[in-house]
């Protein structure tokens, strides 16, 4: 049986033009910063050509953690996308194996074009649901006159448009294998700082400016301390895991200097970020 041209007549309303693709409210829980901003990084990407469609699997990271953006581009150029936390992507990967086995059993039992006369009224052959925080994902293996496909719909409980992709059934195994490769590289835990990162701080001492910036990359949260003088900038980066040790060493030096009779050091001239770690 051929699934060429398989699709879902009901998904056109959820397709997004290239100009507003990144504005969908379904991304809010994952991408709290602006696209392309310093707080968001693309760690890896894979592209799959499945029949007339292209699928992009992008591993991204922002202050809320890592996630996978799945984007579908149809033959007519229309786009749609869903977002998966890594733990949800792992669950989806396991469902893909189950759906693939079921699809294979259908092909073995009935080689040839789909028989739409015996289809359920909604065209669904097999369905599953996944829940992650305030998001629900509906997986429906469907069949219509053009073939069989897996429709994956993402909804948000607090409202907002439904976003969904349609994966031709013949490509489920290839899609699962690509997803597995990414999960083996980046893991299945939704690592990352769960709250809002602190705002940058600044202090000026004589003719020098010091900047304290908190950021996050694929190795975790860090603090970058920069010294700027006459347009010359130097900086150091301190991983979050050693902030307390860094604070202890810094405070130890401050205490020793304050005990010196020649010292004019006081707490109020310490960098504000260091004081806040006390």
């Amino acid at each position: 049986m051929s699934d060429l041209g398989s699709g879902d007549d009901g998904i056109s309303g959820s397709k997004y033009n290239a100009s507003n693709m990144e504005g969908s409210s379904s991304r809010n829980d994952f991408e709290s910063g602006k696209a392309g901003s310093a707080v968001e990084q693309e760690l890896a990407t894979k592209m799959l050509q499945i029949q007339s469609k292209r699928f992009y699997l992008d591993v991204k990271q922002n202050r809320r953690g890592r996630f996978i953006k799945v984007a579908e581009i149809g033959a007519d150029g229309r786009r749609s996308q869903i977002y998966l936390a890594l733990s949800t992507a792992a669950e989806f990967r396991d469902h893909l194996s189950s759906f693939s086995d079921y699809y294979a059993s259908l092909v073995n039992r009935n080689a040839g074009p789909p028989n739409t006369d015996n289809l359920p009224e909604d065209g669904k052959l097999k369905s599953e649901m996944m829940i992650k925080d305030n998001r629900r994902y509906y997986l429906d293996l469907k069949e219509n006159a053009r073939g069989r496909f897996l429709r994956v719909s993402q909804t948000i409980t607090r409202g907002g448009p439904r976003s969904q992709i349609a994966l031709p059934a013949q490509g489920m195994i290839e899609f699962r294998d690509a997803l597995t490769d990414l999960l083996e590289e980046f893991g299945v835990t939704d690592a990352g700082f769960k709250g809002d990162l602190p705002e940058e701080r600044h202090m000026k001492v004589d003719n020098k400016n010091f900047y304290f910036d908190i950021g996050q990359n694929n190795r975790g949260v860090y603090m970058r301390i920069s010294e700027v003088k006459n347009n010359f900038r130097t900086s150091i980066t301190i991983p979050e895991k050693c902030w307390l040790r860094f604070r202890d060493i810094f405070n130890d030096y401050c205490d020793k200097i304050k005990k010196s009779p020649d010292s004019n050091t006081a707490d109020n001239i310490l960098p504000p970020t260091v004081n806040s770690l006390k």
Side-chain angles (χ1 to χ4, degrees), residues 114-138:
N115 182 4
T116 56
D117 295 335
N118 298 325
L119 283 178
E121 184 175 348
D122 57 5
K124 294 181 181 179
L125 303 173
K126 177 178 171 62
S127 297
E128 295 287 351
M129 183 180 70
M130 304 184 301
I131 299 176
K132 173 67 175 179
D133 299 330
N134 65 335
R135 297 176 295 279
R136 290 176 181 262
Y137 300 86
Y138 299 91

PDB file of all heavy atoms in Angstrom, residues 114-138:
ATOM      1  N   PRO A 114      -6.072   1.994   0.589  1.00  0.00           N
ATOM      2  CA  PRO A 114      -6.966   2.013   1.748  1.00  0.00           C
ATOM      3  C   PRO A 114      -8.404   1.748   1.351  1.00  0.00           C
ATOM      4  O   PRO A 114      -8.878   2.203   0.303  1.00  0.00           O
ATOM      5  CB  PRO A 114      -6.804   3.431   2.295  1.00  0.00           C
ATOM      6  CG  PRO A 114      -5.546   3.951   1.705  1.00  0.00           C
ATOM      7  CD  PRO A 114      -5.369   3.264   0.395  1.00  0.00           C
ATOM      8  N   ASN A 115      -9.105   1.018   2.175  1.00  0.00           N
ATOM      9  CA  ASN A 115     -10.524   0.765   1.966  1.00  0.00           C
ATOM     10  C   ASN A 115     -11.302   1.693   2.884  1.00  0.00           C
ATOM     11  O   ASN A 115     -11.534   1.393   4.051  1.00  0.00           O
ATOM     12  CB  ASN A 115     -10.856  -0.700   2.274  1.00  0.00           C
ATOM     13  CG  ASN A 115     -12.323  -1.016   2.014  1.00  0.00           C
ATOM     14  OD1 ASN A 115     -13.065  -0.153   1.542  1.00  0.00           O
ATOM     15  ND2 ASN A 115     -12.729  -2.230   2.320  1.00  0.00           N
ATOM     16  N   THR A 116     -11.680   2.826   2.380  1.00  0.00           N
ATOM     17  CA  THR A 116     -12.318   3.845   3.207  1.00  0.00           C
ATOM     18  C   THR A 116     -13.740   3.466   3.595  1.00  0.00           C
ATOM     19  O   THR A 116     -14.328   4.106   4.477  1.00  0.00           O
ATOM     20  CB  THR A 116     -12.331   5.201   2.470  1.00  0.00           C
ATOM     21  OG1 THR A 116     -12.976   5.038   1.197  1.00  0.00           O
ATOM     22  CG2 THR A 116     -10.912   5.699   2.244  1.00  0.00           C
ATOM     23  N   ASP A 117     -14.305   2.440   2.979  1.00  0.00           N
ATOM     24  CA  ASP A 117     -15.674   2.041   3.314  1.00  0.00           C
ATOM     25  C   ASP A 117     -15.762   1.491   4.733  1.00  0.00           C
ATOM     26  O   ASP A 117     -16.817   1.579   5.368  1.00  0.00           O
ATOM     27  CB  ASP A 117     -16.188   0.990   2.322  1.00  0.00           C
ATOM     28  CG  ASP A 117     -16.316   1.543   0.908  1.00  0.00           C
ATOM     29  OD1 ASP A 117     -16.470   2.785   0.787  1.00  0.00           O
ATOM     30  OD2 ASP A 117     -16.247   0.760  -0.050  1.00  0.00           O
ATOM     31  N   ASN A 118     -14.686   0.880   5.227  1.00  0.00           N
ATOM     32  CA  ASN A 118     -14.705   0.259   6.546  1.00  0.00           C
ATOM     33  C   ASN A 118     -14.060   1.120   7.629  1.00  0.00           C
ATOM     34  O   ASN A 118     -13.823   0.652   8.739  1.00  0.00           O
ATOM     35  CB  ASN A 118     -13.991  -1.107   6.496  1.00  0.00           C
ATOM     36  CG  ASN A 118     -14.694  -2.071   5.542  1.00  0.00           C
ATOM     37  OD1 ASN A 118     -15.922  -2.052   5.428  1.00  0.00           O
ATOM     38  ND2 ASN A 118     -13.908  -2.897   4.863  1.00  0.00           N
ATOM     39  N   LEU A 119     -13.764   2.368   7.313  1.00  0.00           N
ATOM     40  CA  LEU A 119     -13.097   3.237   8.273  1.00  0.00           C
ATOM     41  C   LEU A 119     -14.066   3.711   9.353  1.00  0.00           C
ATOM     42  O   LEU A 119     -15.268   3.867   9.098  1.00  0.00           O
ATOM     43  CB  LEU A 119     -12.535   4.468   7.567  1.00  0.00           C
ATOM     44  CG  LEU A 119     -11.240   4.293   6.769  1.00  0.00           C
ATOM     45  CD1 LEU A 119     -10.880   5.610   6.107  1.00  0.00           C
ATOM     46  CD2 LEU A 119     -10.115   3.823   7.656  1.00  0.00           C
ATOM     47  N   PRO A 120     -13.550   3.955  10.576  1.00  0.00           N
ATOM     48  CA  PRO A 120     -14.379   4.646  11.575  1.00  0.00           C
ATOM     49  C   PRO A 120     -14.771   6.017  11.048  1.00  0.00           C
ATOM     50  O   PRO A 120     -14.119   6.580  10.166  1.00  0.00           O
ATOM     51  CB  PRO A 120     -13.432   4.764  12.783  1.00  0.00           C
ATOM     52  CG  PRO A 120     -12.378   3.736  12.562  1.00  0.00           C
ATOM     53  CD  PRO A 120     -12.222   3.600  11.081  1.00  0.00           C
ATOM     54  N   GLU A 121     -15.815   6.571  11.605  1.00  0.00           N
ATOM     55  CA  GLU A 121     -16.333   7.837  11.092  1.00  0.00           C
ATOM     56  C   GLU A 121     -15.285   8.944  11.154  1.00  0.00           C
ATOM     57  O   GLU A 121     -15.210   9.789  10.256  1.00  0.00           O
ATOM     58  CB  GLU A 121     -17.564   8.251  11.904  1.00  0.00           C
ATOM     59  CG  GLU A 121     -18.233   9.508  11.382  1.00  0.00           C
ATOM     60  CD  GLU A 121     -19.516   9.834  12.136  1.00  0.00           C
ATOM     61  OE1 GLU A 121     -19.988   8.970  12.899  1.00  0.00           O
ATOM     62  OE2 GLU A 121     -20.032  10.952  11.969  1.00  0.00           O
ATOM     63  N   ASP A 122     -14.461   8.946  12.212  1.00  0.00           N
ATOM     64  CA  ASP A 122     -13.443   9.991  12.333  1.00  0.00           C
ATOM     65  C   ASP A 122     -12.127   9.607  11.672  1.00  0.00           C
ATOM     66  O   ASP A 122     -11.166  10.374  11.694  1.00  0.00           O
ATOM     67  CB  ASP A 122     -13.195  10.345  13.796  1.00  0.00           C
ATOM     68  CG  ASP A 122     -12.767   9.133  14.632  1.00  0.00           C
ATOM     69  OD1 ASP A 122     -12.580   8.041  14.049  1.00  0.00           O
ATOM     70  OD2 ASP A 122     -12.613   9.285  15.855  1.00  0.00           O
ATOM     71  N   GLY A 123     -12.057   8.411  11.070  1.00  0.00           N
ATOM     72  CA  GLY A 123     -10.848   7.979  10.380  1.00  0.00           C
ATOM     73  C   GLY A 123      -9.732   7.516  11.286  1.00  0.00           C
ATOM     74  O   GLY A 123      -8.651   7.172  10.806  1.00  0.00           O
ATOM     75  N   LYS A 124      -9.945   7.476  12.604  1.00  0.00           N
ATOM     76  CA  LYS A 124      -8.886   7.112  13.541  1.00  0.00           C
ATOM     77  C   LYS A 124      -8.741   5.598  13.640  1.00  0.00           C
ATOM     78  O   LYS A 124      -9.714   4.881  13.838  1.00  0.00           O
ATOM     79  CB  LYS A 124      -9.170   7.691  14.926  1.00  0.00           C
ATOM     80  CG  LYS A 124      -9.129   9.208  14.972  1.00  0.00           C
ATOM     81  CD  LYS A 124      -9.404   9.712  16.388  1.00  0.00           C
ATOM     82  CE  LYS A 124      -9.395  11.239  16.447  1.00  0.00           C
ATOM     83  NZ  LYS A 124      -9.687  11.738  17.809  1.00  0.00           N
ATOM     84  N   LEU A 125      -7.487   5.146  13.523  1.00  0.00           N
ATOM     85  CA  LEU A 125      -7.181   3.720  13.640  1.00  0.00           C
ATOM     86  C   LEU A 125      -6.597   3.384  15.009  1.00  0.00           C
ATOM     87  O   LEU A 125      -6.783   2.280  15.518  1.00  0.00           O
ATOM     88  CB  LEU A 125      -6.191   3.318  12.546  1.00  0.00           C
ATOM     89  CG  LEU A 125      -6.634   3.597  11.104  1.00  0.00           C
ATOM     90  CD1 LEU A 125      -5.491   3.302  10.142  1.00  0.00           C
ATOM     91  CD2 LEU A 125      -7.856   2.773  10.742  1.00  0.00           C
ATOM     92  N   LYS A 126      -5.860   4.318  15.591  1.00  0.00           N
ATOM     93  CA  LYS A 126      -5.228   4.109  16.899  1.00  0.00           C
ATOM     94  C   LYS A 126      -4.917   5.470  17.483  1.00  0.00           C
ATOM     95  O   LYS A 126      -4.498   6.383  16.763  1.00  0.00           O
ATOM     96  CB  LYS A 126      -3.936   3.294  16.738  1.00  0.00           C
ATOM     97  CG  LYS A 126      -3.126   3.070  18.025  1.00  0.00           C
ATOM     98  CD  LYS A 126      -1.901   2.220  17.739  1.00  0.00           C
ATOM     99  CE  LYS A 126      -0.952   2.154  18.947  1.00  0.00           C
ATOM    100  NZ  LYS A 126      -1.594   1.534  20.124  1.00  0.00           N
ATOM    101  N   SER A 127      -5.120   5.639  18.790  1.00  0.00           N
ATOM    102  CA  SER A 127      -4.915   6.935  19.434  1.00  0.00           C
ATOM    103  C   SER A 127      -4.222   6.771  20.780  1.00  0.00           C
ATOM    104  O   SER A 127      -4.395   5.751  21.461  1.00  0.00           O
ATOM    105  CB  SER A 127      -6.256   7.667  19.649  1.00  0.00           C
ATOM    106  OG  SER A 127      -6.881   7.958  18.414  1.00  0.00           O
ATOM    107  N   GLU A 128      -3.424   7.780  21.150  1.00  0.00           N
ATOM    108  CA  GLU A 128      -2.776   7.853  22.455  1.00  0.00           C
ATOM    109  C   GLU A 128      -2.757   9.320  22.874  1.00  0.00           C
ATOM    110  O   GLU A 128      -2.944  10.229  22.041  1.00  0.00           O
ATOM    111  CB  GLU A 128      -1.342   7.313  22.414  1.00  0.00           C
ATOM    112  CG  GLU A 128      -1.230   5.828  22.095  1.00  0.00           C
ATOM    113  CD  GLU A 128      -1.664   4.932  23.244  1.00  0.00           C
ATOM    114  OE1 GLU A 128      -1.898   5.468  24.358  1.00  0.00           O
ATOM    115  OE2 GLU A 128      -1.768   3.718  23.027  1.00  0.00           O
ATOM    116  N   MET A 129      -2.519   9.558  24.164  1.00  0.00           N
ATOM    117  CA  MET A 129      -2.416  10.927  24.659  1.00  0.00           C
ATOM    118  C   MET A 129      -1.235  11.039  25.610  1.00  0.00           C
ATOM    119  O   MET A 129      -0.961  10.105  26.377  1.00  0.00           O
ATOM    120  CB  MET A 129      -3.694  11.352  25.386  1.00  0.00           C
ATOM    121  CG  MET A 129      -3.658  12.818  25.854  1.00  0.00           C
ATOM    122  SD  MET A 129      -5.172  13.349  26.721  1.00  0.00           S
ATOM    123  CE  MET A 129      -5.032  12.427  28.252  1.00  0.00           C
ATOM    124  N   MET A 130      -0.529  12.158  25.559  1.00  0.00           N
ATOM    125  CA  MET A 130       0.565  12.446  26.474  1.00  0.00           C
ATOM    126  C   MET A 130       0.249  13.751  27.202  1.00  0.00           C
ATOM    127  O   MET A 130      -0.350  14.663  26.623  1.00  0.00           O
ATOM    128  CB  MET A 130       1.895  12.599  25.725  1.00  0.00           C
ATOM    129  CG  MET A 130       2.285  11.409  24.856  1.00  0.00           C
ATOM    130  SD  MET A 130       3.930  11.603  24.100  1.00  0.00           S
ATOM    131  CE  MET A 130       3.721  13.121  23.137  1.00  0.00           C
ATOM    132  N   ILE A 131       0.657  13.844  28.471  1.00  0.00           N
ATOM    133  CA  ILE A 131       0.447  15.052  29.269  1.00  0.00           C
ATOM    134  C   ILE A 131       1.787  15.490  29.845  1.00  0.00           C
ATOM    135  O   ILE A 131       2.518  14.685  30.413  1.00  0.00           O
ATOM    136  CB  ILE A 131      -0.559  14.814  30.415  1.00  0.00           C
ATOM    137  CG1 ILE A 131      -1.926  14.396  29.859  1.00  0.00           C
ATOM    138  CG2 ILE A 131      -0.706  16.068  31.265  1.00  0.00           C
ATOM    139  CD1 ILE A 131      -2.937  14.052  30.940  1.00  0.00           C
ATOM    140  N   LYS A 132       2.089  16.769  29.675  1.00  0.00           N
ATOM    141  CA  LYS A 132       3.303  17.355  30.244  1.00  0.00           C
ATOM    142  C   LYS A 132       2.959  18.732  30.787  1.00  0.00           C
ATOM    143  O   LYS A 132       2.670  19.662  30.026  1.00  0.00           O
ATOM    144  CB  LYS A 132       4.411  17.442  29.186  1.00  0.00           C
ATOM    145  CG  LYS A 132       5.661  18.192  29.648  1.00  0.00           C
ATOM    146  CD  LYS A 132       6.390  17.446  30.753  1.00  0.00           C
ATOM    147  CE  LYS A 132       7.689  18.156  31.108  1.00  0.00           C
ATOM    148  NZ  LYS A 132       8.409  17.476  32.205  1.00  0.00           N
ATOM    149  N   ASP A 133       2.947  18.865  32.130  1.00  0.00           N
ATOM    150  CA  ASP A 133       2.599  20.136  32.763  1.00  0.00           C
ATOM    151  C   ASP A 133       1.235  20.597  32.254  1.00  0.00           C
ATOM    152  O   ASP A 133       0.261  19.895  32.409  1.00  0.00           O
ATOM    153  CB  ASP A 133       3.693  21.176  32.515  1.00  0.00           C
ATOM    154  CG  ASP A 133       5.033  20.742  33.111  1.00  0.00           C
ATOM    155  OD1 ASP A 133       5.011  20.021  34.124  1.00  0.00           O
ATOM    156  OD2 ASP A 133       6.082  21.116  32.562  1.00  0.00           O
ATOM    157  N   ASN A 134       1.175  21.774  31.615  1.00  0.00           N
ATOM    158  CA  ASN A 134      -0.116  22.283  31.142  1.00  0.00           C
ATOM    159  C   ASN A 134      -0.347  22.009  29.665  1.00  0.00           C
ATOM    160  O   ASN A 134      -1.194  22.634  29.033  1.00  0.00           O
ATOM    161  CB  ASN A 134      -0.206  23.792  31.396  1.00  0.00           C
ATOM    162  CG  ASN A 134       0.819  24.568  30.576  1.00  0.00           C
ATOM    163  OD1 ASN A 134       1.852  24.020  30.197  1.00  0.00           O
ATOM    164  ND2 ASN A 134       0.551  25.831  30.315  1.00  0.00           N
ATOM    165  N   ARG A 135       0.372  21.058  29.116  1.00  0.00           N
ATOM    166  CA  ARG A 135       0.237  20.728  27.699  1.00  0.00           C
ATOM    167  C   ARG A 135      -0.259  19.297  27.519  1.00  0.00           C
ATOM    168  O   ARG A 135       0.118  18.398  28.272  1.00  0.00           O
ATOM    169  CB  ARG A 135       1.584  20.906  26.972  1.00  0.00           C
ATOM    170  CG  ARG A 135       2.087  22.321  26.979  1.00  0.00           C
ATOM    171  CD  ARG A 135       3.466  22.425  26.333  1.00  0.00           C
ATOM    172  NE  ARG A 135       4.485  21.703  27.081  1.00  0.00           N
ATOM    173  CZ  ARG A 135       5.100  22.165  28.158  1.00  0.00           C
ATOM    174  NH1 ARG A 135       4.795  23.350  28.629  1.00  0.00           N
ATOM    175  NH2 ARG A 135       6.021  21.456  28.775  1.00  0.00           N
ATOM    176  N   ARG A 136      -1.099  19.119  26.526  1.00  0.00           N
ATOM    177  CA  ARG A 136      -1.583  17.788  26.160  1.00  0.00           C
ATOM    178  C   ARG A 136      -1.228  17.533  24.700  1.00  0.00           C
ATOM    179  O   ARG A 136      -1.310  18.431  23.855  1.00  0.00           O
ATOM    180  CB  ARG A 136      -3.100  17.679  26.344  1.00  0.00           C
ATOM    181  CG  ARG A 136      -3.537  17.685  27.803  1.00  0.00           C
ATOM    182  CD  ARG A 136      -5.056  17.684  27.915  1.00  0.00           C
ATOM    183  NE  ARG A 136      -5.464  17.717  29.318  1.00  0.00           N
ATOM    184  CZ  ARG A 136      -5.822  16.645  30.019  1.00  0.00           C
ATOM    185  NH1 ARG A 136      -5.842  15.460  29.425  1.00  0.00           N
ATOM    186  NH2 ARG A 136      -6.178  16.753  31.279  1.00  0.00           N
ATOM    187  N   TYR A 137      -0.840  16.306  24.445  1.00  0.00           N
ATOM    188  CA  TYR A 137      -0.495  15.900  23.089  1.00  0.00           C
ATOM    189  C   TYR A 137      -1.393  14.724  22.702  1.00  0.00           C
ATOM    190  O   TYR A 137      -1.483  13.737  23.434  1.00  0.00           O
ATOM    191  CB  TYR A 137       0.977  15.481  23.008  1.00  0.00           C
ATOM    192  CG  TYR A 137       1.950  16.570  23.388  1.00  0.00           C
ATOM    193  CD1 TYR A 137       2.312  16.777  24.724  1.00  0.00           C
ATOM    194  CD2 TYR A 137       2.521  17.393  22.423  1.00  0.00           C
ATOM    195  CE1 TYR A 137       3.203  17.771  25.077  1.00  0.00           C
ATOM    196  CE2 TYR A 137       3.412  18.390  22.772  1.00  0.00           C
ATOM    197  CZ  TYR A 137       3.762  18.579  24.100  1.00  0.00           C
ATOM    198  OH  TYR A 137       4.649  19.563  24.448  1.00  0.00           O
ATOM    199  N   TYR A 138      -2.041  14.845  21.544  1.00  0.00           N
ATOM    200  CA  TYR A 138      -2.923  13.796  21.052  1.00  0.00           C
ATOM    201  C   TYR A 138      -2.286  13.163  19.819  1.00  0.00           C
ATOM    202  O   TYR A 138      -1.963  13.862  18.846  1.00  0.00           O
ATOM    203  CB  TYR A 138      -4.293  14.378  20.706  1.00  0.00           C
ATOM    204  CG  TYR A 138      -4.994  14.996  21.890  1.00  0.00           C
ATOM    205  CD1 TYR A 138      -4.828  16.356  22.196  1.00  0.00           C
ATOM    206  CD2 TYR A 138      -5.798  14.233  22.729  1.00  0.00           C
ATOM    207  CE1 TYR A 138      -5.459  16.930  23.292  1.00  0.00           C
ATOM    208  CE2 TYR A 138      -6.437  14.798  23.832  1.00  0.00           C
ATOM    209  CZ  TYR A 138      -6.264  16.142  24.100  1.00  0.00           C
ATOM    210  OH  TYR A 138      -6.881  16.704  25.193  1.00  0.00           O
TER     211      TYR A 138
END
